[in-house]
Amino acid sequence: MKIKHSLKRKLFQIIAFGYSNPYLMNFKGGKIFKGKWKQFCNPGLNCYSCPAARFACPIGALQAVNGSMNFNFSFYVIGLLLAFGTLLGRFICGWLCPFGLIQEFIHKIPSSKLKLPKIFTYIKYIILVVFVILLPILVTNYMGMGKPAFCQYICPAGTLEGGIPLLSTHPELRQTIGGLFSLKMFLLILTIIGCILIYRFFCKTLCPLGAIYGLMNKISIYHLEIDKHTCVNCGKCKNICKMEVDPVKVPNSAECIRCGECAKVCPQNAIHLGFKVRTSSISENVTVSKSKD
Amino acid sequence: MENKKKYIVRTTIIIISGVFILYGFVRNETEIVRNKAINICLECIGLG
Ligand code: SF4
Ligand code: SF4
């Protein structure tokens, strides 16, 4: 039996979600997992204060080390992000990220669907630089410790996966709710509405991890290639892409999450995704056929 | 980027990332990450 590509990806995403969040029973008592795995970072965005989380969130971890008393550059987390990004690029977003999957489910809520103007996709780079890198390093207390500004002021994944489950099970924490929580709830509601209307609204506009992996799409080993000799420019790939990418023009676009939908609709089979570089074999074929002529 | 250039860039980044990860381990950054991740992060949940 042949499984449809989109279903195959969904199953893959659900398995990855379960692997990143196996401790579901922790939701009951509002506990969080405290084992050794927490020193490692999840490749995708997943709040480490989520009761079910197995790993640390890479964006939270980066801010924690950058804002710590002793260091303001995390070799460990940057090293991990470079390795993940060089190997897979935004394949991580399309296939492995728990918050990516949550957004895809939210987008299934029936409503009219909208496209996002391209200018908004640049916001995530500003967030990466200002909230994830600069503020935790520069705004410090008398002990030299900075706060994780992205987690504190923006991250809707933290509010949804950590905030709501923990506050609903800890009455003592509920007593300290203030303006900051209202701001984060407002941003969460905005993100949910955004995700209902626009496919992966958070990934496109706000996610600093998506910004990092997007930049690395240009060099990642897992990549997308177009066989320009067989492509007939029918535009079917561009029309199906929910990330609003034209893979023929920009195969390594920072927005491409390597979902593979374009490759599936291509009538010429001209789009290839994978680790293997095919360009050399394509040009070889051309040379061979030219020499035959 | 041409394939050869890409190959060089990738290999360089992979080597750098390996060195970074090891150096981070050696200077105990993993402990900071773990400590942050095993305690409820008040900033993440909107209280901090
Ligand atoms: S952009 Fe961020 S939230 Fe979206 S899938 Fe990628 S890492 Fe996850
Ligand atoms: S270009 Fe293709 S692989 Fe990339 S996001 Fe669009 S449909 Fe998915």
Side-chain angles (χ1 to χ4, degrees), chain A residues 6-156:
Chain A
S6 49
L7 182 62
K8 201 162 76 183
R9 187 170 73 93
K10 200 60 74 216
L11 287 176
F12 201 98
Q13 286 176 285
I14 291 170
I15 293 168
F17 188 102
Y19 190 73
S20 302
N21 294 289
Y23 305 108
L24 295 177
M25 291 313 283
N26 282 350
F27 277 110
K28 226 171 112 197
K31 288 182 285 186
I32 61 174
F33 171 64
K34 291 183 183 289
K36 285 248 180 258
W37 285 108
K38 277 273 173 92
Q39 66 189 303
F40 300 108
C41 294
N42 200 58
L45 197 84
N46 196 44
C47 184
Y48 42 33
S49 285
C50 169
R54 186 201 294 267
F55 303 106
C57 167
I59 291 297
L62 184 62
Q63 296 168 91
V65 182
N66 285 355
S68 68
M69 228 173 351
N70 303 331
F71 311 118
N72 51 26
F73 183 89
S74 176
F75 285 95
Y76 171 62
V77 183
I78 299 277
L80 277 177
L81 291 175
L82 287 177
F84 289 147
T86 313
L87 206 63
L88 299 170
R90 277 194 101 175
F91 172 89
I92 294 166
C93 300
W95 295 73
L96 302 174
C97 178
F99 201 57
L101 177 66
I102 292 174
Q103 290 174 78
E104 287 187 11
F105 281 136
I106 295 174
H107 190 65
K108 294 220 178 294
I109 296 172
S111 78
S112 54
K113 305 295 175 193
L114 307 175
K115 287 203 167 188
L116 186 81
K118 191 166 168 30
I119 183 97
F120 289 100
T121 62
Y122 296 110
I123 299 173
K124 57 181 174 290
Y125 300 102
I126 299 171
I127 288 178
L128 171 65
V129 174
V130 176
F131 286 85
V132 179
I133 300 172
L134 292 180
L135 287 177
I137 298 176
L138 299 179
V139 183
T140 54
N141 63 13
Y142 68 99
M143 285 164 78
M145 290 167 79
K147 291 234 180 182
F150 174 74
C151 301
Q152 190 171 14
Y153 299 112
I154 300 177
C155 187

Side-chain angles (χ1 to χ4, degrees), chain A residues 157-169:
Chain A
T159 318
L160 182 70
E161 298 170 7
I164 294 174
L166 291 176
L167 289 171
S168 49
T169 43

Side-chain angles (χ1 to χ4, degrees), chain A residues 224 237 240-243 245 247 255-263 273:
Chain A
L224 184 151
C237 52
I240 194 134
C241 180
K242 291 186 187 156
M243 294 303 285
V245 173
E255 297 305 309
C256 171
I257 57 168
R258 308 307 194 206
C259 68
E261 290 303 324
C262 52
L273 284 124

